[in-house]
Amino acid sequence: PEMAMKELAGTEVLEFYLKHQSNPDYIHEKIEVYMGGNDDSHKYQFGFGGLHQALLNYGSKNLVNMDVASLYPSLLVQYGLMSRGASKNPESYKDVHHTRLAAKREGKKLLNEGLKLILNGVIGAMLSEFNPLYDTWSNSSICVHGQLLLFILAKRLFDAGFNIVQTNTDGIMIERQADVDFMPICKQWEEDSRLVLEYDEIDILQQNNVNNYYCKFTNGKVKSKGFYLSNEKFGKATSK
Protein backbone atom coordinates (compact mmCIF):
# COMPACT_ATOMS: atom_id res chain seq x y z
CA PRO A 1 0.00 0.00 0.00
CA GLU A 2 1.08 3.58 -0.67
CA MET A 3 0.97 4.30 3.06
CA ALA A 4 3.66 1.67 3.68
CA MET A 5 5.74 2.91 0.75
CA LYS A 6 5.95 6.30 2.44
CA GLU A 7 6.31 5.45 6.13
CA LEU A 8 8.45 2.34 5.79
CA ALA A 9 10.64 3.53 2.91
CA GLY A 10 14.15 2.10 3.17
CA THR A 11 13.28 -0.33 5.98
CA GLU A 12 14.29 -3.97 5.92
CA VAL A 13 10.72 -5.25 5.98
CA LEU A 14 9.48 -3.13 3.07
CA GLU A 15 12.51 -3.94 0.93
CA PHE A 16 11.93 -7.63 1.64
CA TYR A 17 8.39 -7.52 0.28
CA LEU A 18 9.19 -5.26 -2.67
CA LYS A 19 11.67 -7.88 -3.82
CA HIS A 20 8.84 -10.39 -4.22
CA GLN A 21 5.93 -8.27 -5.45
CA SER A 22 6.45 -8.99 -9.16
CA ASN A 23 6.32 -12.78 -8.70
CA PRO A 24 2.78 -13.88 -9.80
CA ASP A 25 3.12 -17.17 -7.89
CA TYR A 26 4.47 -15.64 -4.71
CA ILE A 27 3.63 -17.39 -1.44
CA HIS A 28 4.30 -15.37 1.69
CA GLU A 29 7.64 -15.94 3.45
CA LYS A 30 8.84 -14.97 6.94
CA ILE A 31 10.93 -12.09 8.18
CA GLU A 32 11.75 -10.77 11.66
CA VAL A 33 12.47 -7.17 12.68
CA TYR A 34 12.97 -5.45 16.04
CA MET A 35 11.43 -2.29 17.47
CA GLY A 36 12.14 -0.96 20.95
CA GLY A 37 14.89 -3.44 21.80
CA ASN A 38 16.93 -6.36 20.51
CA ASP A 39 15.37 -9.05 22.69
CA ASP A 40 12.53 -11.46 21.89
CA SER A 41 9.95 -9.22 23.58
CA HIS A 42 10.52 -6.63 20.87
CA LYS A 43 10.73 -9.02 17.93
CA TYR A 44 8.05 -8.57 15.26
CA GLN A 45 7.52 -11.71 13.21
CA PHE A 46 5.99 -11.25 9.78
CA GLY A 47 4.69 -14.56 8.43
CA PHE A 48 1.93 -16.36 6.61
CA GLY A 49 -0.14 -16.48 9.82
CA GLY A 50 0.09 -12.74 10.40
CA LEU A 51 2.21 -10.26 12.35
CA HIS A 52 3.12 -11.39 15.89
CA GLN A 53 4.93 -9.86 18.88
CA ALA A 54 4.51 -10.09 22.63
CA LEU A 55 6.29 -8.97 25.79
CA LEU A 56 7.54 -12.16 27.41
CA ASN A 57 6.53 -13.19 30.94
CA TYR A 58 4.42 -10.07 31.31
CA GLY A 59 1.49 -9.19 33.53
CA SER A 60 -0.39 -5.93 33.98
CA LYS A 61 -3.72 -4.15 34.34
CA ASN A 62 -5.41 -1.16 32.69
CA LEU A 63 -4.63 -2.05 29.10
CA VAL A 64 -6.48 -1.49 25.85
CA ASN A 65 -6.75 -3.77 22.84
CA MET A 66 -7.55 -2.56 19.34
CA ASP A 67 -8.59 -4.94 16.55
CA VAL A 68 -9.15 -4.18 12.88
CA ALA A 69 -12.75 -4.94 11.99
CA SER A 70 -12.90 -7.81 9.46
CA LEU A 71 -9.24 -7.33 8.56
CA TYR A 72 -8.66 -9.55 5.53
CA PRO A 73 -12.02 -8.90 3.81
CA SER A 74 -11.58 -5.16 4.47
CA LEU A 75 -8.14 -5.23 2.86
CA LEU A 76 -9.48 -7.10 -0.15
CA VAL A 77 -12.22 -4.50 -0.63
CA GLN A 78 -10.22 -1.35 0.14
CA TYR A 79 -7.14 -2.27 -1.89
CA GLY A 80 -8.66 -4.22 -4.77
CA LEU A 81 -7.04 -7.54 -3.90
CA MET A 82 -9.73 -9.89 -5.16
CA SER A 83 -8.54 -13.12 -6.77
CA ARG A 84 -7.69 -12.69 -10.43
CA GLY A 85 -9.87 -15.73 -11.06
CA ALA A 86 -13.03 -13.92 -9.95
CA SER A 87 -14.22 -12.84 -13.37
CA LYS A 88 -17.95 -12.75 -12.56
CA ASN A 89 -19.18 -9.75 -10.57
CA PRO A 90 -16.33 -9.29 -8.06
CA GLU A 91 -18.25 -6.27 -6.71
CA SER A 92 -20.70 -8.64 -5.04
CA TYR A 93 -18.01 -9.38 -2.44
CA LYS A 94 -18.02 -5.73 -1.41
CA ASP A 95 -21.80 -5.83 -0.94
CA VAL A 96 -21.54 -8.88 1.31
CA HIS A 97 -18.74 -7.23 3.28
CA HIS A 98 -20.78 -4.09 3.92
CA THR A 99 -23.80 -6.16 4.93
CA ARG A 100 -21.70 -8.17 7.37
CA LEU A 101 -20.23 -5.10 9.09
CA ALA A 102 -23.71 -3.59 9.42
CA ALA A 103 -25.00 -6.85 10.93
CA LYS A 104 -22.15 -6.81 13.46
CA ARG A 105 -22.89 -3.22 14.49
CA GLU A 106 -26.59 -4.01 14.86
CA GLY A 107 -25.99 -7.11 16.97
CA LYS A 108 -27.34 -9.55 14.37
CA LYS A 109 -25.07 -12.36 15.49
CA LEU A 110 -26.31 -15.17 13.22
CA LEU A 111 -26.13 -13.06 10.05
CA ASN A 112 -22.76 -11.62 11.09
CA GLU A 113 -21.20 -15.05 11.67
CA GLY A 114 -22.69 -16.53 8.50
CA LEU A 115 -21.38 -13.76 6.27
CA LYS A 116 -18.02 -13.88 8.03
CA LEU A 117 -17.64 -17.50 6.91
CA ILE A 118 -18.46 -16.57 3.32
CA LEU A 119 -16.04 -13.65 3.22
CA ASN A 120 -13.15 -15.55 4.78
CA GLY A 121 -13.94 -18.58 2.64
CA VAL A 122 -13.22 -16.58 -0.49
CA ILE A 123 -9.80 -15.63 0.84
CA GLY A 124 -9.06 -19.21 1.85
CA ALA A 125 -10.12 -20.44 -1.59
CA MET A 126 -7.22 -18.50 -3.09
CA LEU A 127 -4.91 -21.15 -1.61
CA SER A 128 -6.86 -24.11 -2.99
CA GLU A 129 -5.19 -25.28 -6.19
CA PHE A 130 -8.37 -26.75 -7.68
CA ASN A 131 -10.62 -23.79 -6.84
CA PRO A 132 -11.43 -21.23 -9.58
CA LEU A 133 -10.32 -18.51 -7.14
CA TYR A 134 -6.84 -20.02 -6.72
CA ASP A 135 -4.39 -17.11 -6.58
CA THR A 136 -1.50 -17.27 -4.13
CA TRP A 137 -0.29 -13.80 -5.10
CA SER A 138 -3.58 -12.13 -4.15
CA ASN A 139 -3.84 -14.12 -0.94
CA SER A 140 -0.27 -13.26 0.06
CA SER A 141 -0.82 -9.63 -0.90
CA ILE A 142 -3.76 -9.42 1.49
CA CYS A 143 -1.60 -10.83 4.28
CA VAL A 144 1.32 -8.52 3.49
CA HIS A 145 -0.89 -5.42 3.30
CA GLY A 146 -2.35 -6.23 6.70
CA GLN A 147 0.99 -6.79 8.36
CA LEU A 148 2.59 -3.64 6.98
CA LEU A 149 -0.37 -1.45 7.93
CA LEU A 150 -0.62 -2.94 11.42
CA PHE A 151 3.13 -2.50 11.92
CA ILE A 152 2.76 1.17 10.98
CA LEU A 153 0.11 1.57 13.69
CA ALA A 154 2.38 -0.15 16.21
CA LYS A 155 5.26 2.12 15.16
CA ARG A 156 3.16 5.27 15.51
CA LEU A 157 2.00 4.23 18.97
CA PHE A 158 5.54 3.27 20.01
CA ASP A 159 6.95 6.58 18.73
CA ALA A 160 4.30 8.38 20.82
CA GLY A 161 5.55 6.63 23.95
CA PHE A 162 3.18 3.69 24.27
CA ASN A 163 4.43 0.29 25.37
CA ILE A 164 3.35 -2.33 22.82
CA VAL A 165 2.27 -5.34 24.87
CA GLN A 166 1.13 -7.62 22.08
CA THR A 167 0.67 -7.59 18.32
CA ASN A 168 -1.39 -10.46 16.99
CA THR A 169 -2.55 -10.77 13.33
CA ASP A 170 -5.33 -8.17 13.37
CA GLY A 171 -4.81 -6.29 16.62
CA ILE A 172 -2.51 -4.45 19.00
CA MET A 173 -2.55 -4.29 22.80
CA ILE A 174 -0.98 -1.35 24.60
CA GLU A 175 -0.46 0.05 28.08
CA ARG A 176 -2.39 3.22 28.75
CA GLN A 177 -0.41 6.42 29.34
CA ALA A 178 -1.66 9.06 31.76
CA ASP A 179 -0.40 11.97 29.67
CA VAL A 180 -0.93 10.70 26.09
CA ASP A 181 -4.23 9.83 24.41
CA PHE A 182 -3.98 6.97 21.93
CA MET A 183 -7.26 7.78 20.15
CA PRO A 184 -5.99 10.63 17.90
CA ILE A 185 -3.20 8.34 16.70
CA CYS A 186 -5.64 5.54 15.96
CA LYS A 187 -8.17 7.80 14.24
CA GLN A 188 -5.47 9.19 11.96
CA TRP A 189 -4.33 5.65 11.16
CA GLU A 190 -7.91 4.68 10.29
CA GLU A 191 -8.16 7.61 7.92
CA ASP A 192 -4.82 6.81 6.31
CA SER A 193 -5.37 3.05 6.02
CA ARG A 194 -9.12 3.10 5.23
CA LEU A 195 -9.59 0.44 7.92
CA VAL A 196 -11.69 0.52 11.10
CA LEU A 197 -10.55 -0.28 14.64
CA GLU A 198 -12.63 -1.80 17.43
CA TYR A 199 -11.56 -1.30 21.06
CA ASP A 200 -11.72 -3.44 24.21
CA GLU A 201 -10.68 -2.38 27.71
CA ILE A 202 -8.65 -4.97 29.65
CA ASP A 203 -8.78 -5.51 33.41
CA ILE A 204 -5.91 -7.96 33.65
CA LEU A 205 -3.44 -9.72 31.38
CA GLN A 206 -0.96 -12.47 32.12
CA GLN A 207 1.10 -13.67 29.16
CA ASN A 208 4.16 -15.81 28.72
CA ASN A 209 4.35 -15.23 24.95
CA VAL A 210 2.07 -14.60 21.98
CA ASN A 211 0.77 -18.17 22.07
CA ASN A 212 0.20 -18.44 25.85
CA TYR A 213 -1.82 -15.77 27.63
CA TYR A 214 -4.86 -15.08 29.80
CA CYS A 215 -6.84 -11.88 29.29
CA LYS A 216 -9.91 -10.63 31.18
CA PHE A 217 -11.78 -7.71 29.63
CA THR A 218 -13.75 -5.10 31.58
CA ASN A 219 -16.99 -6.40 30.04
CA GLY A 220 -16.36 -9.76 31.74
CA LYS A 221 -15.24 -11.62 28.64
CA VAL A 222 -12.20 -13.85 29.05
CA LYS A 223 -9.80 -14.86 26.30
CA SER A 224 -7.21 -17.56 26.90
CA LYS A 225 -4.68 -19.23 24.65
CA GLY A 226 -2.18 -22.05 24.99
CA PHE A 227 -1.71 -23.62 28.39
CA TYR A 228 -3.88 -20.91 30.00
CA LEU A 229 -6.79 -22.19 27.93
CA SER A 230 -6.23 -25.76 29.13
CA ASN A 231 -5.75 -24.81 32.78
CA GLU A 232 -9.15 -23.53 33.90
CA LYS A 233 -8.22 -23.48 37.58
CA PHE A 234 -5.29 -21.15 36.94
CA GLY A 235 -7.42 -18.91 34.78
CA LYS A 236 -9.98 -18.48 37.55
CA ALA A 237 -7.25 -17.66 40.03
CA THR A 238 -5.73 -15.08 37.67
CA SER A 239 -9.06 -13.40 37.02
CA LYS A 240 -9.63 -12.43 40.68
Side-chain angles (χ1 to χ4, degrees), residues 29 31-32 39 43 87 92 107 114 116 121 152 158 160 163-164 174-175 186 192 204 210 214 230-231 234-235 239:
E29 299 176 59
I31 184 174
E32 297 176 348
D39 59 331
K43 178 169 63 179
S87 57
S92 61
K116 179 181 178 179
I152 287 173
F158 174 79
N163 195 18
I164 310 299
I174 61 172
E175 293 179 352
C186 293
D192 295 340
I204 187 169
V210 74
Y214 171 90
S230 62
N231 193 335
F234 184 84
S239 68

Short mmCIF file of all heavy atoms in Angstrom, two decimals, residues 29 31-32 39 43 87 92 107 114 116 121 152 158 160 163-164 174-175 186 192 204 210 214 230-231 234-235 239:
data_model
loop_
_atom_site.label_atom_id
_atom_site.label_comp_id
_atom_site.label_asym_id
_atom_site.label_seq_id
_atom_site.Cartn_x
_atom_site.Cartn_y
_atom_site.Cartn_z
N GLU A 29 6.53 -15.41 2.65
CA GLU A 29 7.64 -15.94 3.45
C GLU A 29 7.73 -15.18 4.77
O GLU A 29 6.97 -14.26 5.03
CB GLU A 29 8.95 -15.78 2.66
CG GLU A 29 8.95 -16.53 1.34
CD GLU A 29 10.22 -16.28 0.55
OE1 GLU A 29 11.32 -16.58 1.09
OE2 GLU A 29 10.13 -15.78 -0.56
N ILE A 31 9.84 -13.00 7.88
CA ILE A 31 10.93 -12.09 8.18
C ILE A 31 10.72 -11.57 9.60
O ILE A 31 9.58 -11.45 10.07
CB ILE A 31 10.99 -10.90 7.17
CG1 ILE A 31 12.22 -10.03 7.47
CG2 ILE A 31 9.72 -10.10 7.19
CD1 ILE A 31 12.44 -8.93 6.45
N GLU A 32 11.81 -11.27 10.30
CA GLU A 32 11.75 -10.77 11.66
C GLU A 32 12.47 -9.43 11.74
O GLU A 32 13.55 -9.27 11.20
CB GLU A 32 12.39 -11.76 12.64
CG GLU A 32 11.68 -13.11 12.70
CD GLU A 32 12.40 -14.10 13.60
OE1 GLU A 32 13.56 -13.80 14.00
OE2 GLU A 32 11.83 -15.15 13.92
N ASP A 39 15.73 -7.77 22.08
CA ASP A 39 15.37 -9.05 22.69
C ASP A 39 14.08 -9.59 22.08
O ASP A 39 13.42 -8.92 21.28
CB ASP A 39 15.22 -8.89 24.20
CG ASP A 39 14.16 -7.86 24.57
OD1 ASP A 39 13.96 -6.91 23.78
OD2 ASP A 39 13.54 -8.00 25.62
N LYS A 43 10.58 -8.42 19.26
CA LYS A 43 10.73 -9.02 17.93
C LYS A 43 9.38 -9.10 17.24
O LYS A 43 8.44 -9.70 17.77
CB LYS A 43 11.36 -10.41 18.04
CG LYS A 43 11.52 -11.12 16.70
CD LYS A 43 12.39 -12.37 16.83
CE LYS A 43 11.76 -13.39 17.75
NZ LYS A 43 12.58 -14.62 17.85
N SER A 87 -13.86 -13.61 -12.19
CA SER A 87 -14.22 -12.84 -13.37
C SER A 87 -15.68 -12.40 -13.37
O SER A 87 -16.05 -11.46 -14.07
CB SER A 87 -13.96 -13.67 -14.63
OG SER A 87 -14.68 -14.89 -14.58
N SER A 92 -19.76 -8.04 -5.98
CA SER A 92 -20.70 -8.64 -5.04
C SER A 92 -20.04 -8.92 -3.70
O SER A 92 -20.71 -8.92 -2.65
CB SER A 92 -21.28 -9.94 -5.62
OG SER A 92 -20.25 -10.89 -5.86
N GLY A 107 -25.83 -5.99 16.06
CA GLY A 107 -25.99 -7.11 16.97
C GLY A 107 -26.70 -8.31 16.36
O GLY A 107 -27.23 -9.16 17.10
N GLY A 114 -22.51 -15.85 9.78
CA GLY A 114 -22.69 -16.53 8.50
C GLY A 114 -21.95 -15.83 7.37
O GLY A 114 -21.28 -16.47 6.56
N LYS A 116 -19.45 -13.80 7.74
CA LYS A 116 -18.02 -13.88 8.03
C LYS A 116 -17.42 -15.14 7.40
O LYS A 116 -16.32 -15.10 6.82
CB LYS A 116 -17.79 -13.88 9.54
CG LYS A 116 -16.34 -14.00 9.96
CD LYS A 116 -16.22 -14.01 11.49
CE LYS A 116 -14.77 -14.17 11.92
NZ LYS A 116 -14.64 -14.17 13.41
N GLY A 121 -14.04 -17.43 3.52
CA GLY A 121 -13.94 -18.58 2.64
C GLY A 121 -13.39 -18.22 1.27
O GLY A 121 -12.65 -19.01 0.67
N ILE A 152 2.71 -0.29 10.98
CA ILE A 152 2.76 1.17 10.98
C ILE A 152 2.00 1.72 12.19
O ILE A 152 2.46 2.66 12.85
CB ILE A 152 2.17 1.73 9.67
CG1 ILE A 152 3.15 1.49 8.51
CG2 ILE A 152 1.86 3.22 9.80
CD1 ILE A 152 2.60 1.85 7.16
N PHE A 158 4.25 3.37 19.32
CA PHE A 158 5.54 3.27 20.01
C PHE A 158 6.26 4.61 19.99
O PHE A 158 6.82 5.05 21.01
CB PHE A 158 6.39 2.19 19.34
CG PHE A 158 7.79 2.11 19.89
CD1 PHE A 158 8.04 1.46 21.08
CD2 PHE A 158 8.85 2.69 19.20
CE1 PHE A 158 9.34 1.40 21.60
CE2 PHE A 158 10.14 2.64 19.70
CZ PHE A 158 10.39 1.98 20.91
N ALA A 160 5.00 7.44 19.94
CA ALA A 160 4.30 8.38 20.82
C ALA A 160 4.50 8.06 22.29
O ALA A 160 3.99 8.77 23.16
CB ALA A 160 2.81 8.39 20.49
N ASN A 163 3.79 1.60 25.29
CA ASN A 163 4.43 0.29 25.37
C ASN A 163 3.56 -0.71 24.63
O ASN A 163 2.40 -0.93 25.01
CB ASN A 163 4.60 -0.11 26.84
CG ASN A 163 5.56 -1.27 27.02
OD1 ASN A 163 6.35 -1.57 26.13
ND2 ASN A 163 5.49 -1.91 28.16
N ILE A 164 4.10 -1.35 23.60
CA ILE A 164 3.35 -2.33 22.82
C ILE A 164 3.43 -3.67 23.55
O ILE A 164 4.51 -4.28 23.62
CB ILE A 164 3.89 -2.46 21.39
CG1 ILE A 164 4.04 -1.09 20.73
CG2 ILE A 164 2.97 -3.37 20.57
CD1 ILE A 164 2.77 -0.30 20.60
N ILE A 174 -1.92 -2.33 24.07
CA ILE A 174 -0.98 -1.35 24.60
C ILE A 174 -1.28 -1.03 26.06
O ILE A 174 -2.39 -1.24 26.55
CB ILE A 174 -1.00 -0.02 23.80
CG1 ILE A 174 -2.40 0.61 23.88
CG2 ILE A 174 -0.58 -0.25 22.36
CD1 ILE A 174 -2.47 2.02 23.29
N GLU A 175 -0.27 -0.51 26.75
CA GLU A 175 -0.46 0.05 28.08
C GLU A 175 -0.97 1.49 27.93
O GLU A 175 -0.48 2.25 27.11
CB GLU A 175 0.86 0.07 28.85
CG GLU A 175 1.40 -1.29 29.21
CD GLU A 175 2.72 -1.19 29.96
OE1 GLU A 175 3.26 -0.06 30.04
OE2 GLU A 175 3.21 -2.22 30.44
N CYS A 186 -4.87 6.61 16.60
CA CYS A 186 -5.64 5.54 15.96
C CYS A 186 -6.60 6.09 14.91
O CYS A 186 -6.77 5.49 13.83
CB CYS A 186 -6.41 4.75 17.01
SG CYS A 186 -5.36 3.80 18.13
N ASP A 192 -5.89 7.08 7.26
CA ASP A 192 -4.82 6.81 6.31
C ASP A 192 -4.94 5.42 5.68
O ASP A 192 -4.65 5.23 4.50
CB ASP A 192 -3.46 6.93 6.99
CG ASP A 192 -3.17 8.34 7.48
OD1 ASP A 192 -3.81 9.29 6.97
OD2 ASP A 192 -2.31 8.50 8.36
N ILE A 204 -7.13 -7.27 33.25
CA ILE A 204 -5.91 -7.96 33.65
C ILE A 204 -5.40 -8.82 32.51
O ILE A 204 -6.17 -9.41 31.76
CB ILE A 204 -6.15 -8.83 34.91
CG1 ILE A 204 -4.82 -9.42 35.42
CG2 ILE A 204 -7.18 -9.91 34.65
CD1 ILE A 204 -4.95 -10.05 36.81
N VAL A 210 3.23 -14.88 22.83
CA VAL A 210 2.07 -14.60 21.98
C VAL A 210 1.13 -15.78 21.87
O VAL A 210 -0.05 -15.62 21.51
CB VAL A 210 2.54 -14.13 20.59
CG1 VAL A 210 3.08 -15.31 19.77
CG2 VAL A 210 1.43 -13.40 19.84
N TYR A 214 -3.53 -15.16 29.21
CA TYR A 214 -4.86 -15.08 29.80
C TYR A 214 -5.23 -13.60 29.87
O TYR A 214 -4.48 -12.77 30.38
CB TYR A 214 -4.86 -15.68 31.21
CG TYR A 214 -6.14 -15.44 31.98
CD1 TYR A 214 -7.19 -16.34 31.91
CD2 TYR A 214 -6.29 -14.30 32.77
CE1 TYR A 214 -8.37 -16.11 32.60
CE2 TYR A 214 -7.47 -14.07 33.47
CZ TYR A 214 -8.50 -14.98 33.39
OH TYR A 214 -9.67 -14.75 34.07
N SER A 230 -6.04 -24.39 28.65
CA SER A 230 -6.23 -25.76 29.13
C SER A 230 -6.18 -25.87 30.65
O SER A 230 -6.45 -26.92 31.20
CB SER A 230 -5.15 -26.68 28.52
OG SER A 230 -3.87 -26.27 28.92
N ASN A 231 -5.86 -24.77 31.32
CA ASN A 231 -5.75 -24.81 32.78
C ASN A 231 -6.81 -23.88 33.38
O ASN A 231 -6.54 -22.75 33.77
CB ASN A 231 -4.35 -24.38 33.23
CG ASN A 231 -4.09 -24.70 34.70
OD1 ASN A 231 -5.02 -24.81 35.49
ND2 ASN A 231 -2.83 -24.84 35.03
N PHE A 234 -6.22 -22.29 36.89
CA PHE A 234 -5.29 -21.15 36.94
C PHE A 234 -5.95 -19.90 36.41
O PHE A 234 -5.78 -18.80 36.92
CB PHE A 234 -4.04 -21.47 36.13
CG PHE A 234 -2.99 -20.38 36.22
CD1 PHE A 234 -2.10 -20.35 37.28
CD2 PHE A 234 -2.93 -19.37 35.27
CE1 PHE A 234 -1.15 -19.34 37.37
CE2 PHE A 234 -1.99 -18.37 35.36
CZ PHE A 234 -1.10 -18.35 36.42
N GLY A 235 -6.74 -20.05 35.36
CA GLY A 235 -7.42 -18.91 34.78
C GLY A 235 -8.35 -18.26 35.78
O GLY A 235 -8.41 -17.03 35.90
N SER A 239 -8.03 -14.38 37.31
CA SER A 239 -9.06 -13.40 37.02
C SER A 239 -9.51 -12.64 38.25
O SER A 239 -10.22 -11.66 38.16
CB SER A 239 -10.27 -14.09 36.38
OG SER A 239 -10.91 -14.95 37.30
#
